[in-house]
Amino acid sequence: QVQLVESGGGLVQAGGSLRLSCAASGRTYSVYAMGWFRQAPGKEREFVAAITWSAGRLYYADSVKGRFTISRDNAKNTVYLQMNTLKPEDTAVYYCAAERYSSKYYAPDEYDYWGQGTQVTVSS
């Protein structure tokens, strides 16, 4: 069992920045990768970014590449999503997820554990 708790969401103006945090607890040693997904009203949950825990390989959706940065602090079992140059289209509930095995990092169905989500709202 792995528990994930997101924080850092909020309301920000377009062009601003937010940093999301996801603290993992429980059987964190079993985590292969952690990812961020987002879901806007009426839309499917979409991949944002992922990082493999051991090797630190990074993956980004094209829509956020160059603006968002995913990172992790191994000692704190925490993954971060630094979001810069935010756009209104970034508005969504952002979810942290953990993947136990190497799989399709971009596919929500491949992840085993999920946080509760944190709302990010970007105003124009």
Side-chain angles (χ1 to χ4, degrees):
Q1 179 67 40
V2 175
Q3 296 81 41
L4 304 174
V5 179
E6 303 102 328
S7 62
L11 175 64
V12 65
Q13 291 184 333
S17 299
L18 285 173
R19 189 177 78 160
L20 306 183
S21 298
C22 176
S25 60
R27 297 172 58 191
T28 57
Y29 56 85
S30 68
V31 174
Y32 173 78
M34 296 183 67
W36 288 97
F37 294 79
R38 65 187 183 186
Q39 187 166 23
K43 295 185 178 180
E44 296 181 349
R45 189 168 298 186
E46 66 173 341
F47 168 75
V48 176
I51 184 169
T52 64
W53 198 250
S54 181
R57 291 185 294 174
L58 308 177
Y59 305 92
Y60 295 98
D62 288 342
S63 60
V64 306
K65 194 172 298 181
R67 298 188 298 121
F68 291 10
T69 302
I70 188 170
S71 61
R72 84 272 197 262
D73 186 329
N74 291 358
K76 295 181 178 180
N77 290 318
T78 300
V79 65
Y80 305 95
L81 184 68
Q82 178 67 46
M83 305 185 294
N84 297 327
T85 319
L86 283 162
K87 305 174 181 179
E89 63 201 70
D90 295 317
T91 295
V93 177
Y94 282 70
Y95 297 91
C96 176
E99 185 179 49
R100 293 183 63 191
Y101 309 104
S102 177
S103 188
K104 299 180 178 67
Y105 58 85
Y106 53 84
D109 290 348
E110 298 295 333
Y111 283 75
D112 302 287
Y113 306 101
W114 292 85
Q116 80 289 344
T118 185
Q119 177 71 47
V120 172
T121 302
V122 184
S123 62
S124 60

